[in-house]
Structures are given as C-alpha cells and as structure tokens.
Amino acid sequence: MVRRCIYCGTETDLSKSDIIPDALTNGKIINPNVCRVAHNNKFSDMFEDEVISKLAFITNELDIKSSKGNQYARYAANVIVDGTEYTTKMNADTDLFNKKIMRSVDGKSLIGPMDKIKKMKGIDYGKVTETDINQIEIEKKVSIDMGVFFGQKIHRLAAKIAFEWYCLNNNVTSKLSAFESVIEFIITGEGTDPVQIIGKEDIYGLINQMSDLGNHSLFSYVAGDGSVNVLVSLFGIVIYNVRICDSIIPECPYNAMFLTINLDAKKTGFKSVSKKALEQELQKGFQQVGMFNGFQVMCPCNINDNSMTCKMLYFLSSVYDANLPFNDESAEELIVVIKKHLNKVLNISALTIRGLKRFVNEHKGNIEKGIVFNPYGTNMKAIFTFYLIFATGIAENQIHSFEDLSEFVRTKFAGKEIAISEELCNILQKEMMESEHYSDIIKEGAKSIEEMRFD
Ligand SMILES: [Zn+2]
C-alpha cells in the first residue's frame, strides 16, 4: 500500500516527524507519514520554535537536551551578586561567571572573569574589585512568560502532537476527510480552534496518577457527545484537550489509549479499542489465586506489565468522558492552576539520574577542590542536590544505584513529592556542615553518581 502524508496526501518525500519536538523531550516518538518540507520542517518556523524558546527554562531545569545541538537550552535570567542585579542568558549556573562579562540592570557595574575585564579598553583599575563567587550564594530570578501557555502557537503544537500520535496508533497512512478541521488549524492557525486548556484539577490529578511529574502524557478518549479527543499533558504542568474529529471513524478503531514518557525517556502506555474492550483486557489480565475470608484474591497474570495501573486508572475514572472539554475557569484561575504545577515540577527535577549526573558534571571543579558551604546559601535546589550527593557519599547509607538513592529519599522525606523549602534546605545544610569531612564525603558521593548507570 502506498503511504501518503496525513496532512496533504502527497506520496513524495515523506519524512519522520518527531511527534513531540526533539527539544522538549528525551524520548522520541515518530510518525513516518509526514511530508518533509511543508508539514515537518516548516512547522518549526510556524509555531514550534517560539514555544520551545519560551519553555527553555523548563526544559533546561528538567535536563532535556536537544539532540541537534546536544546542549541544554539557554534562557534569560537575572542574577543578584552582592546586592547588584545583572541580566544574562544562561545555560548552567556554573558557567555564569567564567565565560562572559555581564552588565548590571542599572548599567553601572560589570561582572566577569578578571582576565577578560583586564583586556577591556577604558577600564579604571582602581574601581575593579575581586569577588569570591560561591555558586550557592547566587540568587537567580527567572520569570516565565505565562502567556506562552495560552497562545495560538502552543495550541497548534498541542493539536499537532495529538493528531500525529492518534494517526500513528491507528495506522493512518493518508489524508482523511474527517480530520479536515484539525488539519486546517495546525497548518494555517485558522478555522475552529480544536484546543482547550484544561482547568479542572481532577483531570490533572488523574494524569499525575498515571505518570510522574515532568512527563509528557497523551490520553485518547471518546467524549459524552461522541467526539474523539486527545488530552496532551506537557511536563504535567499544563493539559490541553484536542478535539480530533466529531465521531469515531471506521479507519480509526483505537480510541482508548494512553502513553507517558518520563524524563529518563522511559515509555509506558496501552492501546485499546474502547473503554469496554479495556475492561475485558483487565479481566483477562488478572487471575484468581485463592480465597480469603470469602473474598476472591486476584493477582495480575504478568507482574512485569507496568501499564496495568494505567489501565485500571483509565477504566475506573470517568472525569474525562462526561463534560470535557468545557470548563468555566477564568484566565486568572487557569494561571493559578498552571503555576502550581509548574512549581511542583521544577522542584522534583533534581531527582532524575540525568539531573544528578549533570549537576555533578557542572560542579566537578568545585567538588574536587573541596566544597565549602556558605551558611547563608540561598540556592535551595543546589543545596538539596548537594545533600543527595552527600547522602550517597556516606558509606553506611549503602547507596550504589539510582534505585538505592530513590529509596533513601523516599524513606528520609516520607513520600514521592518533596517540597524543597527554605526551612528544609536550612536543615539539610546544617546537617552537612556538622559533619567534619563533608567536602570529602561529597567527593565520594560525586564519584559514585558518576558511575551510576541508566538502566
Ligand atoms: Zn504534507
């Protein structure tokens, strides 16, 4: 059978489209039925690049690297050193001061490596002072343009992701007329906008139960009015509902599907024809292993099937098929919802193996010299991450793998979600500083983390 572009129907020059742009995820999913120029490359300029650059701080914090440049995204930030505020575009906290010269917001001061400052013309050496830069003391202010979550461009991106994923799973290999409306919106930005931002907390609750914070998730369902929809959750921060078409079409039998991609690129999901079919799969997936006080005891047949929980949650919930996608929250209320998830996601990001390895790598020089903490440190995430390295370095803790470390964190902080607060960081920093050889312990911990492997 001839394969054609799902947007325009051409047979020529098909290419592999990254369903979720490469710069937004560590784990690829690909739709091979998209023509190269008009409906793959051009989308970058039309809407993808702008969204990607506005989300740069989030992808950077979550340790997502674009495979093209093989580097973390740069983002705009203000940093405060000794009471003076400087504006910069940055990549990593540690390369702030050793690469370039920054100008202060008031225009009166410059800061940078001494050798570079000395090479500048017209410098009055009497006014140059040396500052000891301790990463942990630097206060960093990043403002995220919340408008990015509401713009037409992110709607087009969400619609593109939903549409290409839905087509991939239903083996769509040509342009179908039922999708005309969603296609028009993706490729021109005109026509009826099929995308709505979700404000309902129970939908976020459901997706967050089926995935981890920081994941991208896709969730297809048939709504109460018979329409086919896909929920697109970006990082667990914001969820969009995309209406794919008005009713189920014969070419697309699969309508109860789920996929989640975590920050270490692992994927979990399932694909089922309908909620009813999923129910039958669930029944087959369990076997009776005995009776207990008159109750049947059921066990999953395949304990390695980690999609089982997702299937159960999908089946048991009905929040999505009743009155979605309509919501009555105002833009202000939606911003509150998104900000709340954003803060949670940025807090957990230290807890991926990718994040830890990157941190160790970026702070390698200081760790080898011997970390000296400033008791008035303000960079909470850095303190928390140093604490994880410190804990790994203590031999009695027996932390040899990322699983060991996760287990330690679960026990120590009692729970999956950790609020990195100033209070907590003060306690952790004190605990480290009370230990006599803490810089050696951190050195040991860093060595172990460098040796840990992704599974
Ligand atoms: Zn095309």
Side-chain angles (χ1 to χ4, degrees), residues 323-380:
N323 54 358
L324 263 179
F326 306 104
N327 54 41
D328 40 25
E329 290 83 1
S330 67
E332 288 75 25
E333 286 168 322
L334 289 170
I335 286 180
V336 172
V337 170
I338 296 171
K339 274 196 172 156
K340 195 177 97 189
H341 301 294
L342 180 64
N343 285 334
K344 268 195 193 174
V345 168
L346 295 181
N347 266 347
I348 56 99
S349 61
L351 285 177
T352 64
I353 186 159
R354 203 180 291 271
L356 265 181
K357 278 179 177 287
R358 175 187 174 192
F359 186 91
V360 166
N361 187 33
E362 285 176 357
H363 289 79
K364 211 171 171 157
N366 286 333
I367 290 172
E368 271 163 15
K369 260 188 271 162
I371 287 285
V372 182
F373 284 128
N374 179 310
Y376 308 105
T378 52
N379 186 341
M380 294 194 282

Side-chain angles (χ1 to χ4, degrees), residues 5-10 34-35 38-39:
C5 173
I6 55 173
Y7 289 98
C8 66
T10 183
V34 176
C35 70
H39 302 125

Side-chain angles (χ1 to χ4, degrees), residues 75-90 96-97 100-112 117 127 129 131 133 138-142:
Y75 59 91
N78 282 8
V79 290
I80 301 166
V81 185
D82 284 345
T84 307
E85 189 164 340
Y86 300 85
T87 312
T88 184
K89 273 207 132 191
M90 60 191 286
L96 253 187
F97 302 103
K100 55 178 185 182
I101 295 164
M102 295 187 286
R103 184 175 292 275
S104 64
V105 176
D106 64 11
K108 289 179 186 161
S109 317
L110 297 172
I111 192 168
I117 295 272
K127 289 184 178 168
T129 53
T131 303
I133 296 302
I138 308 296
E139 192 183 332
K140 181 172 83 180
K141 291 202 283 192
V142 180

Side-chain angles (χ1 to χ4, degrees), residues 26 68 132 139 170 265 272 352 420:
N26 290 320
K68 281 164 203 149
D132 180 21
E139 192 183 332
N170 278 293
S272 197
T352 64
I420 303 181

Side-chain angles (χ1 to χ4, degrees), residues 61-161:
E61 284 283 301
L62 295 178
D63 307 296
I64 295 166
K65 251 187 210 179
S66 162
S67 64
K68 281 164 203 149
N70 194 30
Q71 58 183 352
Y72 298 107
R74 282 157 64 81
Y75 59 91
N78 282 8
V79 290
I80 301 166
V81 185
D82 284 345
T84 307
E85 189 164 340
Y86 300 85
T87 312
T88 184
K89 273 207 132 191
M90 60 191 286
N91 223 299
D93 289 2
T94 40
D95 71 18
L96 253 187
F97 302 103
N98 48 27
K99 292 207 172 133
K100 55 178 185 182
I101 295 164
M102 295 187 286
R103 184 175 292 275
S104 64
V105 176
D106 64 11
K108 289 179 186 161
S109 317
L110 297 172
I111 192 168
M114 193 54 108
D115 54 325
K116 284 201 176 147
I117 295 272
K118 280 185 176 159
K119 277 185 203 145
M120 289 180 77
K121 285 189 183 124
I123 291 286
D124 175 356
Y125 291 109
K127 289 184 178 168
V128 178
T129 53
E130 262 187 83
T131 303
D132 180 21
I133 296 302
N134 180 334
Q135 296 306 329
I136 294 169
E137 289 173 72
I138 308 296
E139 192 183 332
K140 181 172 83 180
K141 291 202 283 192
V142 180
S143 54
I144 294 174
D145 167 13
M146 294 301 284
V148 63
F149 296 112
F150 296 89
Q152 187 231 49
K153 293 194 169 167
I154 207 165
H155 279 214
R156 288 170 79 181
L157 177 63
K160 177 224 143 156
I161 293 171

